[in-house]
Amino acid sequence: MDYDKLFADRIADLRNEGRYRVFAELERHAGNFPKATRHHDGRQQDVTVWCSNDYLGQGQNRDVLDAMHTALDKVGAGSGGTRNISGTNHYHVLLERELADLHGKEAALLFTSGYISNEATLSTLVKALPGLIIFSDALNHASMIDGIRHGGGPKQIWRHNDTEHLAELLAKADPDKPKIVAFESVYSMDGDIAPIGEICAIAKKYGALTYLDEVHAVGMYGTRGGGVAERDGVMDQLDIIEGTLAKAFGVMGGYITGSSDLVNVIRSYASSFIFTTSIAPAIAAGALCSVRHLKGSNVERVRHQERAAALKTLFAEAELPMMPSVSHIVPLMVGDAALCKQVSDELLDEFGIYVQPINYPTVPRGTERLRFTPTPFHDDAMMAELVTALKTVWARSHLRRAA
């Protein structure tokens, strides 16, 4: 059997569909976010990044960098092991305390990524609570879907943000079975926000725990950056809040927060936590500094919301196909995988504007899009350049589609 040919055929299928993923090789400019250098075909190109998840530019915050340098010099590079075997550093403990406080919970637990925190927690809860039924929003992230699938227990999918459907499914479920309602606050591909308080009230009525993924909201919403749940005053109604350190906080890693007993169960039973080397102390130190900074500073959040609103206004005035969004995420609908990649390539090659095409399976087929994430550092001139470039490329794409 020619295995290499089988692999090549699979890649050819992706190329034919226009879904083959090309990674832009970028070198970010420290202190000059969102500027970067693109390395391509032996050449270098200055670009403006429009799709970074470093939403507030905290990855460039001088205090965060200094904290990481200090930790590196003090304790060295790696953690030295799993959390159970010599890999629990003082920075990990301090960061977990800070995150628990951020969300008003008794305890927190660090993971190597937001993906792992979702996958590990949801799959472990299924095993820890025999008969558990998970009620999952239809647009939940792949990490949540994988965690639910790996748990192997029963699940119910409720229509996206449809609280009537959720209530209907919960009402039909066995009242003696444990239940969890799992959902996100900000849905990163559409930019919409869940009615958290209403979902919590329904879950409580039917005796279900609530699991909220706040990865696209922590640091950016609420008076201290606790997320949409803090903004809406409903953090105390949630049993588990999951977040990331890789977006608004500008570093890397993921976490959950909840009651001490719940967190201890995940710490004690989750294989993805137990058998993984812990995050480097310097990373934990940087995240700790970033979380503390955003707890006390609202400047970044105010500027961030203003920039997102400004970009939405410019897109609307230019009559670009902007999808409805009530968050900081600004998506433009393309609706075709090959065309989406072509528009992205032309923006990058001709105008030095980098925005990654979003294709299946990240979004359903026929809803391919460009997803813009303006930051506090995208100024008016950058926005004007972006709109001019988009109008040029969009006009070409329509001509090609008509032909």
Side-chain angles (χ1 to χ4, degrees), residues 295-307:
K295 277 184 177 181
S297 174
N298 206 37
V299 174
E300 294 84 357
R301 284 186 282 277
V302 171
R303 172 71 173 171
H304 186 230
Q305 290 296 319
E306 184 276 328
R307 291 287 80 193

Side-chain angles (χ1 to χ4, degrees), residues 46-314:
D46 289 335
V47 300
T48 303
V49 179
W50 276 98
C51 56
S52 174
N53 284 339
D54 187 0
Y55 291 133
L56 301 180
Q58 283 291 101
Q60 308 288 316
N61 184 311
R62 189 69 254 174
D63 290 340
V64 172
L65 299 182
D66 288 345
M68 295 182 74
H69 281 294
T70 299
L72 187 64
D73 291 337
K74 183 178 181 180
V75 302
S79 67
T82 65
R83 289 291 297 274
N84 186 53
I85 304 176
S86 81
T88 295
N89 189 273
H90 188 51
Y91 290 110
H92 298 134
V93 176
L94 292 177
L95 178 55
E96 286 174 339
R97 290 174 184 168
E98 203 73 34
L99 292 167
D101 174 76
L102 176 67
H103 295 291
K105 303 301 179 188
E106 291 178 348
L109 190 65
L110 282 174
F111 295 83
T112 51
S113 72
Y115 190 104
I116 295 298
S117 58
N118 272 332
E119 188 279 331
T121 303
L122 287 167
S123 62
T124 302
L125 286 170
V126 174
K127 297 166 184 174
L129 299 171
L132 175 69
I133 307 170
I134 297 185
F135 296 80
S136 177
D137 185 283
L139 293 189
N140 276 343
H141 189 264
S143 58
M144 300 175 76
I145 295 170
D146 279 353
I148 295 167
R149 182 185 298 121
H150 293 164
K155 64 180 183 294
Q156 296 282 325
I157 310 300
W158 47 290
R159 290 187 294 270
H160 177 55
N161 279 349
D162 187 336
T163 52
E164 289 185 6
H165 189 219
L166 172 63
E168 178 185 327
L169 293 176
L170 283 165
K172 293 178 180 178
D174 185 342
D176 294 326
K177 296 285 187 181
K179 306 170 190 66
I180 291 179
V181 176
F183 62 108
E184 300 180 42
S185 56
V186 175
Y187 287 84
S188 63
M189 292 301 126
D190 292 350
D192 56 339
I193 294 177
I196 300 174
E198 188 177 352
I199 292 170
C200 288
I202 293 170
K204 183 177 181 180
K205 177 180 177 181
Y206 293 100
L209 295 172
T210 46
Y211 183 104
L212 177 65
D213 177 318
E214 284 261 43
V215 297
H216 291 279
V218 289
M220 295 177 290
Y221 296 86
T223 57
R224 300 197 309 158
V228 176
E230 184 193 16
R231 183 198 71 176
D232 293 352
V234 293
M235 281 200 304
D236 62 322
Q237 298 176 35
L238 290 150
D239 297 293
I240 308 162
I241 297 177
E242 183 267 350
T244 183
L245 304 167
K247 294 180 171 60
F249 295 126
V251 194
M252 71 170 291
Y255 64 90
I256 60 164
T257 63
S259 71
S260 295
D261 286 340
L262 184 149
V263 169
N264 202 16
V265 164
I266 306 304
R267 184 188 70 85
S268 302
Y269 286 95
S271 294
S272 300
F273 172 81
I274 295 169
F275 298 106
T276 298
T277 299
S278 60
I279 62 174
I283 291 174
L288 176 63
C289 177
S290 186
V291 172
R292 286 175 173 171
H293 173 82
L294 290 174
K295 277 184 177 181
S297 174
N298 206 37
V299 174
E300 294 84 357
R301 284 186 282 277
V302 171
R303 172 71 173 171
H304 186 230
Q305 290 296 319
E306 184 276 328
R307 291 287 80 193
L311 187 63
K312 290 176 186 178
T313 298
L314 290 174

Side-chain angles (χ1 to χ4, degrees), residues 1-11:
M1 184 173 290
D2 189 345
Y3 291 105
D4 282 342
K5 184 180 184 305
L6 294 175
F7 294 141
D9 289 345
R10 294 302 302 272
I11 296 301

